Amino acid sequence: AAPRVVVIGGGFGGASLARALKREDPGIAVALIEPSGHYTACPLSNAVIAGMREMKAQHFGYAGIEDDGIVHIQQKAVRVEPDQRRVVLADEVRLSYDRLVVAPGIDLNFEAIPGYDEAATQLMPHAWKAGEQTLLLRRQLEAMEDGGLVVISAPANPFRCPPGPYERASLIAHYLKTHKPRSKILILDAKDAFSKQRLFEAGWGALYPGMIEWVGLSFGGAVTGVDAGTRTLRTEFGEHRAAVANIIPPQRAGAIAALAGVADRTGWCPIDPVTFESRLVPDIHVIGDAAIGGAMPKSAFTANAQAKACASAVIALLRGRDPGEPKLINTCYSLLAPDYGISIAGVYTPQNGLLAEVDGAGGTSPLDAPAAVRAEEAAYGEAWFETITTEAFG
Ligand code: FAD
């Protein structure tokens, strides 16, 4: 019989992996479990919040995946039975696998910030899973009066999309500068440094002087509780009352990872950096945001790169060959304004059981660059989005 691979999660990781498997070895039967009929992409969703882009540009269907001969099972995986190598679906149907790939992305950790629960997200959106939350934050900004205070709270590492909160602050500033110029943005951060910090701060100084204030951990940036009703954020140093509050809480691997036994006490999934096989349960691989195994940041670029490396390893293991050592690349573009982009890139290889960054192989955009370079990078970011979504969804 054909070897069977079951994939949980049809996001950047799972969709890219399912397609890479079929492309490299059409003899493998691949089933993709994803409850949604279409995927809503997070990259560029900050531009939707700022009114620069429409939500429908973030939607991708699964028809291309089905055309490749992959079976899309439109259900949620609710359990895994590793001893029998079976996945249990919401309707209690069981699917057998030879290898399982778990790619459920993140869940928000609602125990982390007192007062910030599922109900509070309707008043203080996180917008960290693109969809209704993205549109809610956009509507709140549109409804806010000129002169209002927008507060964004950013979590400690690790979390989905390290430059994401700062790109969001930038694009909200772009919206406010154009529509509500007396307004201000306060970023409360649970860490003392962030991705591309010097580039962001230089850009804020040039584009939005005096509009964005960033408060790191040492100066009272960690949010210790919220009151959603009054849009109040508490820190050890005092309280902030917001006109619009965007809470990006700490995160962990999507719930099915813990149910499958592949998440450890940190909430993330330790993996072997060569095969992406779980360190906790055999025959289960984990890729994308849910996985943790070194220095690779949690991004769509990473999820796609891990998907391709993992697909090759899974094929090698199923066909009795040695999986080769992968070399993975990540690049994260961020927009500070429609024609102002910056980027960070890195190369990663297995080293001492972890994915380590190759010294000197990556880098960021230059700190001093003419406007033409920033405009070019903004265009590269958009081109990258086209490429990666075509690769993942067809
Ligand atoms: P996801 O894309 O979240 O996919 C997980 C899928 O699994 C979902 O479709 C979900 O429905 C499904 N699923 C979950 N549980 C189950 C279950 N039990 N059964 C079946 N299916 C399940 N990355 C970049 O590279 N560049 C960017 O510019 C960028 N910008 C971003 C901006 C913002 C505001 C945010 C929030 C993120 C951004 N990212 C960016 C990060 C990127 O979106 C994520 O890193 C990426 O989506 C991770 O892919 P994934 O496949 O691991 O998870």
Side-chain angles (χ1 to χ4, degrees), residues 109-168:
N109 183 353
F110 285 118
E111 286 112 62
I113 300 177
Y116 197 65
D117 55 15
E118 194 95 46
T121 66
Q122 294 308 308
L123 298 165
M124 299 171 126
H126 54 78
W128 219 240
K129 289 187 178 195
E132 265 313 306
Q133 281 277 302
T134 312
L135 295 173
L136 178 61
L137 184 54
R138 173 170 165 166
R139 286 196 301 274
Q140 289 191 352
L141 290 166
E142 285 165 355
M144 187 183 86
E145 287 185 13
D146 191 6
L149 176 68
V150 178
V151 184
I152 299 173
S153 89
N157 295 320
F159 66 104
R160 160 176 283 185
C161 195
Y166 317 97
E167 178 189 66
R168 177 170 290 175

Side-chain angles (χ1 to χ4, degrees), residues 8-14 33-35 39 42-46 62 75-77 103-106 127-128 160-161 167-168 256 287-290 298-301 303 331-333 384:
I8 299 179
F12 282 107
I33 307 173
E34 166 60 58
Y39 179 70
C42 285
L44 296 183
S45 68
N46 286 329
Y62 291 103
Q75 278 202 58
K76 195 169 167 182
I106 56 151
W128 219 240
R160 160 176 283 185
C161 195
E167 178 189 66
R168 177 170 290 175
I256 189 68
I287 55 167
D289 285 357
K298 300 187 182 302
S299 74
F301 201 122
T331 306
C332 278
Y333 294 96
W384 165 79

Side-chain angles (χ1 to χ4, degrees), residues 289-323:
D289 285 357
I292 200 139
M296 272 194 106
K298 300 187 182 302
S299 74
F301 201 122
T302 288
N304 172 270
Q306 294 185 344
K308 289 184 274 192
C310 179
S312 296
V314 164
I315 291 168
L317 293 167
L318 288 170
R319 299 300 187 189
R321 298 192 303 263
D322 258 356

Side-chain angles (χ1 to χ4, degrees), residues 41 53-60 385:
R53 190 177 167 87
E54 288 313 313
M55 197 64 185
K56 60 176 186 301
Q58 303 298 111
H59 288 164
F60 299 88
F385 184 78

Side-chain angles (χ1 to χ4, degrees), residues 5-10 13-26 28-34 62-74 391-394:
V5 178
V6 173
V7 184
I8 299 179
S16 303
L17 176 123
R19 296 191 84 207
L21 276 176
K22 265 293 184 204
R23 198 166 52 235
E24 273 187 55
D25 191 336
I28 296 178
V30 184
L32 177 67
I33 307 173
E34 166 60 58
Y62 291 103
I65 284 180
E66 287 164 7
D67 289 347
D68 285 348
I70 295 156
V71 182
H72 172 205
I73 298 167
Q74 204 180 328
E391 203 174 293
F393 302 102

